């Protein structure tokens, strides 16, 4: 395998050489490395610097970049695992070059996670993490990281696959990214509850083609009950922008107050908060001096997440304008008008056109008028 050096954050490793003009088609590199996931790994390193788990498992390590960054940039003891012997050769090369003390294992992730416990278990598979979630919850002593790149099933574009993998009904709406994030989170919460574990989101977000969860697991039946109480549904009118959130185990039947038609439920999904404000505040402070792989992406993401209202759905304000035949002004004007009326209102982290507010639809419409 021809290798080339890459530096991400403060960590330099070797990855398979690729001609920038002829990149490997997805999934065909001898060992996987994607520089576009640097932001994902930056956030993990920042979360780990806030939480300092006693050990960390990169269950699907490929080149090792994620776990190596955790080891090199946080000092937390790491285990790097991959079932592919070629990946293990590369990881071994990288561990030696960094002079790191790391444990390397070449096992099926589910088998390893069934045998051993780690302070922080991290899942970063190709596509869906669904087949690994159960074992990861059993293996995790305290923290769990999950990446999902199967956004089409999660967000409702591949409805049946979404239902099969996550036992929830996604919905392809203008806020499908949020639905995908909350369906994945709800799915993890339900798996954790089986083992009397509750889930506390530390920092969860969606970006480009992935959803990323950083969670704390709390072992007690009451913590699990508390998580289950955060599950619910978003009900969407099929004809107009009306939508509502319902925190309830079984979905109710609701009618659109504007159109009189039945609302379509999506879920079960997580309706609680997706960040821990103290962890996020710590990450933002740390990010000032942090050597990031994607500094620009990180500087944009963290403050928007901090300021995003704690609401499970959003509106695309251009789509609202189109529906009401209004040409909306700048997004900040709309947000300020809503805040002046006493409502919570803010931007969303996954779309430049998205807003979250607790204002009723007719108030939003009024504030949208030029
Ligand atoms: N974490 C890596 C990073 O940040 O660049 C990317 C991991 S790559 C998307 C997925 C890796 O999981 C591949 O290297 C693959 O060999 C490995 N893998 C797939 N199924 C596995 C399994 N059941 N057990 C262990 N490793 C597995």
């Amino acid at each position: 395998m021809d290798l080339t050096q890459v530096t991400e954050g403060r960590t330099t490793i070797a990855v398979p050489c690729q001609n920038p003009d002829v990149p490997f088609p997805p999934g065909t590199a001898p060992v996987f490395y994607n520089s576009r996931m640097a932001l994902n790994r930056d956030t993990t390193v920042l979360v780990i610097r806030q939480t300092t788990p006693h050990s960390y498992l990169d269950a699907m390590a490929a080149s090792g970049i994620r776990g190596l960054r955790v080891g090199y940039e946080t000092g937390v003891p790491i285990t790097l695992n991959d079932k592919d012997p070629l990946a293990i050769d590369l990881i071994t090369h990288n561990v030696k070059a960094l002079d790191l003390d790391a444990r390397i294992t070449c096992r099926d992730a589910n088998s390893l996670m069934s045998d051993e416990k780690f302070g922080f278990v991290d899942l970063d598979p190709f596509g869906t993490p669904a087949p690994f979630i159960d074992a990861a919850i059993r293996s995790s002593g305290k923290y769990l990281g999950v990446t999902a790149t199967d956004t089409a099933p999660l967000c409702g574009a591949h409805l049946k696959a979404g239902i099969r993998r996550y036992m929830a009904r996604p919905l392809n709406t203008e806020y499908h990214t949020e639905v995908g994030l909350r369906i994945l989170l709800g799915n993890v919460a339900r798996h954790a509850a089986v083992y009397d574990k509750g889930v506390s989101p530390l920092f969860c977000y969606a970006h480009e083609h992935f959803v990323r969860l950083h969670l704390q697991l709390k072992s007690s039946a009451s913590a699990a009950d508390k998580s289950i109480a955060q599950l619910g549904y978003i009900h969407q009118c099929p004809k107009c922008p009306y939508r509502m959130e319902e925190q309830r185990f079984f979905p109710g039947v609701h009618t659109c107050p504007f159109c009189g038609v039945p609302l379509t439920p999506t879920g079960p999904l997580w309706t609680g908060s997706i960040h821990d404000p103290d962890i996020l505040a710590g990450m933002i402070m740390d990010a000032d001096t942090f050597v990031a792989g994607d500094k620009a992406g990180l500087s944009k993401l963290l403050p928007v997440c901090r300021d995003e209202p704690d609401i499970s759905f959003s509106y695309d304000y251009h789509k609202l304008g189109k529906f009401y035949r209004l040409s909306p002004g700048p997004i900040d004007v709309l947000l300020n008008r809503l805040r002046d009326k006493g409502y919570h209102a803010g931007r969303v982290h996954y779309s430049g056109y998205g807003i979250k507010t607790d204002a009723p639809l007719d108030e939003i419409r009024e504030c949208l008028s030029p």
Side-chain angles (χ1 to χ4, degrees), residues 31-34 37 41 58-67 81-84 87 107-110 124-127 132:
V31 177
F32 181 92
Y33 172 75
N34 184 356
M37 295 297 260
R41 293 182 282 263
D58 185 350
M60 292 136 172
S63 67
I65 181 65
R66 180 178 292 273
N81 178 68
D82 203 288
K83 71 170 183 186
D84 176 3
R107 292 186 59 181
D108 174 77
N110 277 332
D124 186 24
F126 294 124
F132 304 102

Side-chain angles (χ1 to χ4, degrees), residues 134-154:
D134 188 85
I137 285 166
R138 282 185 279 118
S139 176
S140 163
K142 194 157 181 189
Y143 301 106
L144 178 63
V146 182
T147 301
T149 55
D150 60 332
T151 45
L154 268 173

Side-chain angles (χ1 to χ4, degrees), residues 38-46 69 290 292-295 298:
L39 177 68
N40 183 317
R41 293 182 282 263
D42 283 341
T43 55
T44 298
V45 174
L46 284 176
R69 285 196 62 190
F290 178 63
D294 180 357
K295 191 81 178 169
L298 197 62

Side-chain angles (χ1 to χ4, degrees), residues 57-289:
L57 170 67
D58 185 350
M60 292 136 172
S63 67
I65 181 65
R66 180 178 292 273
L68 290 167
R69 285 196 62 190
V70 169
Y72 199 68
E73 299 176 29
T74 74
V76 169
I78 53 170
T79 297
L80 305 165
N81 178 68
D82 203 288
K83 71 170 183 186
D84 176 3
L86 209 54
I88 295 301
D89 289 346
L90 184 56
I91 292 167
T92 306
H93 171 94
N94 283 327
V95 166
K96 272 195 194 132
L98 283 167
D99 197 19
L100 255 183
D101 191 13
R103 182 174 159 230
I104 302 168
T105 55
C106 184
R107 292 186 59 181
D108 174 77
N110 277 332
S111 160
L112 173 63
M113 293 187 296
S114 295
D115 283 350
E116 292 186 34
K117 283 201 179 300
F118 301 87
F120 192 122
V121 172
D122 209 330
L123 296 180
D124 186 24
F126 294 124
T128 180
F132 304 102
I133 285 174
D134 188 85
I137 285 166
R138 282 185 279 118
S139 176
S140 163
K142 194 157 181 189
Y143 301 106
L144 178 63
V146 182
T147 301
T149 55
D150 60 332
T151 45
L154 268 173
C155 300
H158 298 161
L159 180 67
K160 286 186 179 170
I163 292 172
R164 283 197 307 274
R165 286 176 192 169
Y166 300 103
M167 289 293 157
R169 187 192 193 287
L171 194 64
N172 199 355
T173 61
E174 71 208 39
Y175 51 96
H176 57 71
T177 307
E178 177 110 26
V179 167
L181 167 61
R182 289 176 181 278
I183 280 186
L184 179 62
L185 192 34
N187 182 271
V188 175
R190 281 181 289 151
H191 272 279
V194 170
Y195 301 103
D196 282 351
K197 290 184 177 183
V199 158
S200 294
L202 301 178
F203 183 63
C204 304
Y205 66 102
H207 183 76
E208 292 181 350
H209 67 294
F210 69 83
V211 170
R212 177 71 183 160
L213 311 181
H214 301 94
L215 308 170
Q216 183 172 348
L217 299 178
K218 293 183 179 162
S219 282
S220 76
S222 65
D225 291 342
K226 240 169 111 181
S227 288
I228 293 296
Q230 302 288 320
L231 296 177
Y233 299 82
I234 299 169
H235 295 265
Q236 173 64 51
C237 178
K239 287 190 153 180
C240 84
Y242 181 76
R243 62 209 60 172
M244 58 167 279
E245 175 189 310
E246 183 182 43
Q247 208 170 64
R248 206 174 120 156
F249 193 66
F250 295 108
V253 177
H254 302 277
T255 303
C256 177
F258 298 100
C259 308
V261 298
L263 301 179
T264 310
T266 176
L269 45 73
W270 182 263
T271 62
S273 175
I274 53 176
H275 310 307
D276 176 311
D278 293 334
I279 294 284
L280 185 47
M283 290 169 70
I284 289 172
M285 270 182 64
D286 192 12
D288 252 1
T289 51

